Amino acid sequence: MMKKIVNPWIGHEGYNCFGCCPDNNSGMRMQFYEDGDDIVSFWIPQDCHISWKNTLHGGVQAALLDELCGWVIFRKCGSAGVTGKLELKYHKPVSLQPLTLKAHITLNRGRVVVVEGTIYDASDNVLTVATATYFVADTDKAREMGFMECEVEDNLE
């Protein structure tokens, strides 16, 4: 059963994340859900995100997938982390249509975690796949980075 992840940073001074802050007018305003091992986001690109004739810019795709994979670290590892490497494979052009993004851990070595994230179209076609390597912070460093535990809502409306 899919559950919405509560964004713990909403309302905190200085929070203006390009990926997930709902109040950042220039940002992507992503929201996240937990569905078993996956973290999921639903996102609709706008005209300002194109690179060529109704095609989502590859850098925007990278930002979407990096943000999504980072939330996997928050929720599944219970810590903050930093991206060490992000590799993308662009399978098909991504048009301006509603998208589903899903990510999950493929390798967990404690402080080093590999996450795979995928962008899908409405027909469930794979459009872009990312492999992200994260360095996961220990508890003290995570607190220093401002990490707060990510809870889920019991009921998804």
Side-chain angles (χ1 to χ4, degrees):
M1 179 166 103
M2 193 175 305
K3 295 182 178 185
K4 184 174 182 180
I5 300 173
V6 178
N7 184 331
W9 295 280
I10 291 176
H12 282 74
E13 185 179 337
Y15 171 62
N16 197 37
C17 177
F18 175 75
C20 64
C21 181
D23 300 321
N24 184 334
N25 292 330
S26 298
M28 298 183 296
R29 300 179 179 184
M30 296 174 74
Q31 295 182 15
F32 303 93
Y33 303 85
E34 186 173 48
D35 188 14
D37 291 336
D38 286 332
I39 300 300
V40 179
S41 186
F42 305 99
W43 195 75
I44 301 173
Q46 305 300 311
D47 286 339
C48 63
H49 302 124
I50 67 171
S51 62
W52 175 256
K53 294 183 181 180
N54 193 41
T55 302
L56 183 61
H57 191 284
V60 174
Q61 293 176 58
L64 286 165
L65 288 163
D66 186 38
E67 185 73 13
L68 175 72
C69 292
W71 277 76
V72 171
I73 301 302
F74 296 151
R75 180 67 188 151
K76 297 299 186 178
C77 297
S79 187
V82 294
T83 310
K85 181 168 61 170
L86 180 66
E87 298 176 301
L88 273 71
K89 182 168 183 185
Y90 300 96
H91 292 268
K92 295 181 180 180
V94 180
S95 62
L96 300 188
Q97 62 178 304
L99 303 172
T100 300
L101 297 89
K102 297 180 183 180
H104 60 272
I105 293 172
T106 59
L107 178 67
N108 187 341
R109 292 199 173 152
R111 297 289 302 274
V112 177
V113 175
V114 177
V115 178
E116 182 177 280
T118 306
I119 298 175
Y120 300 90
D121 65 14
S123 298
D124 215 26
N125 293 307
V126 172
L127 304 174
T128 306
V129 176
T131 302
T133 303
Y134 282 85
F135 299 107
V136 179
D138 62 33
T139 304
D140 291 338
K141 183 65 177 174
R143 279 195 205 111
E144 183 181 312
M145 294 169 70
F147 176 72
M148 292 174 275
E149 193 169 342
C150 296
E151 299 295 330
V152 294
E153 292 180 0
D154 287 333
N155 296 316
L156 182 59
E157 311 218 356

